[in-house]
């Protein structure tokens, strides 16, 4: 069902991304769907000398929007 939707929103606010989120992100992006990462509580991690990330680069780079609060999410969904 997720890949039939025009928009996909991933909640990445936990210490790790949800199981299957990277797979859905890559598949939705490949199909040209709108993909956003919703992160109301930042929990970045990074290795020494690396950029902050969400523990999964497919999600970090595969999403077109990085939303940090409920209003930004509502605006993105309405657009």
């Amino acid at each position: 069902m997720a890949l039939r939707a025009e928009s996909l929103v991933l909640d990445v606010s936990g210490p790790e991304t949800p199981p299957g989120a990277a797979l859905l992100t890559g598949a939705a992006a490949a199909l040209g769907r709108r993909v956003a990462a919703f992160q109301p509580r930042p929990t970045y991690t990074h290795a020494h000398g690396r950029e902050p990330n969400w523990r999964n680069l497919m999600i970090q780079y595969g999403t077109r929007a990085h939303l940090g609060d409920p209003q930004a999410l509502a605006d993105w969904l309405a657009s």
Side-chain angles (χ1 to χ4, degrees):
M1 295 302 270
L3 294 181
R4 292 186 199 163
E6 291 298 318
S7 301
L8 179 65
V9 178
L10 305 162
D11 182 349
V12 295
S13 59
E16 294 191 21
T17 57
L23 174 67
L24 289 174
T25 299
L31 292 170
R33 305 293 199 256
R34 293 179 353 136
V35 185
F38 180 57
Q39 188 177 35
R41 295 178 311 279
T43 54
Y44 292 106
T45 181
H46 59 86
H48 181 70
R50 303 284 309 269
E51 76 279 1
N53 64 69
W54 292 328
R55 297 181 189 228
N56 191 302
L57 294 177
M58 175 67 78
I59 293 172
Q60 184 167 338
Y61 298 121
T63 54
R64 295 183 184 169
H66 301 153
L67 312 169
D69 60 66
Q71 185 59 52
L73 175 59
D75 292 345
W76 183 82
L77 288 170
S79 66

